[in-house]
Each structure stands twice: as C-alpha cells, then as structure tokens.
Amino acid sequence: MSEKNREGKRTAREKLAVEREKQKSADKRRRALIVGGAVVAVLGLAAVIGVVAANAGKDDDTAASGPVVAPSGAQGKDGLAIPVGKDSAKSTLTVWEDFRCPACKSFETAYRPVIHELTDAGELKVEYHLVTLIDGNMRGTGSRNAANAAACAQDAGKFPAYHDVLFDNQPPEVDDAYADNAKLIELAGKVDGLDTPAFRTCVEKGTHNGWVAKSHQAFNKGGFSGTPTVLFDGENIYQDRTMTPAKLKQMVQEANKE
C-alpha cells in the first residue's frame, strides 16, 4: 500500500473519530437537557402542590381573628356559649348554629315555640354556640358579622329576640346580605331597645369577631358534621329521624321528674 493511501485511510479514521466524539457530546447535552427539564417540571409541580396544600390548610377565620372578647354572660368552656334560660334548669340543650344556614332556620322554625315554652318555664337551659360554616363554604363574612352582632345583642341583654329576628329575616344561602353591618343594624330596630350607639359601635367595630372565630374553631375540634348540631344533655338528637318538638318536650319533662 502506498504512503498516500495509508495517509488517506488515517485521515478518514480521524474524521470518523471526531464525528463520533461530536455525536457523544451532542447526546450528553440532549440527556442533560431532558433531565434538567424533568427536574424543573417536578420542582414546578411540587411548587404548585405546595401552594395548593398551603391554601387548603388556611382557615378563613384567621382573617377575622383579633382580641377574643366574649359577650356579657357567656358561659361554658372558654366562655363560648351564650346561655338562654335559667341555670337551675335540669336539662340543657346545646345548639351550634350559623345565621346563614338554611337548615338552622328550619330547625328554629320547627322547634322555637317549644324551646321558648320550656326556657320560660325554667325547665330547659339552651347554650347557643355561633359558627361560620357557610362563610367557609360559600365565601363571604355574613355568618361572622351576624354572629358578632348577636354577641353584641347579648351584651345588651337582647340576644334571644335578636337571634330570632336574624333567622326570621335570613337571606338566601348564596346571598351574603349579612356581611353588610348596616343590614344587621337595621334588623336591630325590630327588637325594642337594641338599636343604641353602643350596639352600633360593637357591630361596626366587630368587637366579638375574635370570639366568633374561636367558637368556630371549637366547632371544628368537636368533630361535628354540620349545622345545626343539637345536643340534649350531651346526646346528638338532631340526627334522630324520629325527633319532633313534642318528643323533645316529653324528654325535658321526663328529665325534670327525676
């Protein structure tokens, strides 16, 4: 083989080797880009999941937090219950309610007459706990603002009457009308002696917002499934499909005979 041919073959091998090295380098860069892109995608997904998880863990009530100012005469653990009736009553009805909750209004409409009868007679004591479940489900602040206004009414010694007015005038669940403090003050005009400068200031400043938030937190910690939650001497009776106002009255009267 001539020197010229050997040189030509060597040059061809060298060119082939160079091309192979270039191909390897290109493959490495491509793999690096793929891996890098996958890492970025995973990190991006993790970031999205993190944001979703963080938002899911947020409690809307935290925006309403502040000083926990219990209304006058509040009782029970952490002063979260507004009592109606005589402390000497042998039976206690514990009611967890939301002023935006349609089911709560239905309960009030059906049971209010017998509850008033029994509390007025000193046979039953009712402990009302106010929650903001609908605010969380439907968005808004009507549950909170109405609960604060009811607590302000308790300060004025007018809670039972104002409580009933709020349910009697409850807006549709999707209508956050009770977020408007002016509406809550307007409804106070239906209760003799409630619409005072002190009441208005309490409503407008959200004096009891922190207390309402704490009450709702207690509802969550209690593991209750929804509103209303109604307990008779600690037993959940609202889940009893056979429960009626007449049956509740009979239970109270039997308890008072013991």
Side-chain angles (χ1 to χ4, degrees):
M1 181 181 294
S2 67
E3 186 66 27
K4 185 175 181 180
N5 287 340
R6 281 197 296 271
E7 184 64 26
K9 288 184 178 181
R10 185 168 58 248
T11 301
R13 285 196 300 270
E14 290 173 351
K15 287 182 179 181
L16 182 60
V18 169
E19 289 301 320
R20 285 175 177 169
E21 288 301 319
K22 286 182 179 180
Q23 187 63 42
K24 287 181 181 179
S25 297
D27 289 342
K28 286 181 180 179
R29 286 195 300 272
R30 186 164 55 252
R31 285 195 298 270
L33 288 172
I34 292 172
V35 172
V39 170
V40 170
V42 170
L43 290 176
L45 179 60
V48 170
I49 292 172
V51 170
V52 171
N55 287 337
K58 287 182 179 178
D59 186 346
D60 290 338
D61 288 332
T62 57
S65 64
V68 178
V69 181
S72 176
Q75 298 179 355
K77 184 179 179 181
D78 296 326
L80 297 178
I82 294 180
V84 174
K86 296 180 180 179
D87 287 335
S88 59
K90 292 185 177 180
S91 298
T92 300
L93 194 70
T94 304
V95 182
W96 296 82
E97 290 184 317
D98 183 327
F99 287 111
R100 288 181 69 186
C101 163
C104 296
K105 180 176 181 177
S106 295
F107 167 77
E108 286 295 329
T109 300
Y111 285 81
R112 181 188 298 167
V114 72
I115 289 175
H116 280 197
E117 177 187 346
L118 293 169
T119 53
D120 290 345
E123 298 180 59
L124 178 69
K125 175 184 176 182
V126 184
E127 295 181 342
Y128 288 98
H129 295 261
L130 309 180
V131 299
T132 58
L133 194 64
I134 306 301
D135 282 357
N137 292 341
M138 305 296 294
R139 301 303 176 190
T141 59
S143 299
R144 183 200 68 187
N145 289 12
N148 171 68
C152 295
Q154 170 67 11
D155 289 338
K158 304 285 185 178
F159 173 81
Y162 188 62
H163 164 274
D164 292 353
V165 165
L166 287 175
F167 278 117
D168 288 343
N169 293 272
Q170 184 188 78
E173 186 177 14
V174 295
D175 181 0
D176 195 24
Y178 281 171
D180 183 3
N181 286 330
K183 177 65 175 178
L184 298 170
I185 292 172
E186 175 191 335
L187 291 175
K190 296 179 178 291
V191 179
D192 290 342
L194 179 56
D195 187 5
T196 64
F199 174 79
R200 289 181 173 229
T201 299
C202 182
V203 171
E204 291 167 350
K205 288 189 174 181
T207 299
H208 300 295
N209 282 354
W211 175 83
V212 173
K214 190 168 184 177
S215 179
H216 185 74
Q217 290 167 5
F219 173 79
N220 286 336
K221 291 177 181 177
F224 303 121
S225 60
T227 53
T229 290
V230 185
L231 311 175
F232 179 71
D233 290 339
E235 180 183 351
N236 193 331
I237 63 170
Y238 192 72
Q239 295 178 341
D240 181 356
R241 294 180 181 275
T242 67
M243 185 58 58
T244 63
K247 184 175 179 179
L248 173 61
K249 182 176 180 179
Q250 182 181 0
M251 292 168 64
V252 171
Q253 290 176 337
E254 288 177 354
N256 277 280
K257 291 178 182 178
E258 297 176 359

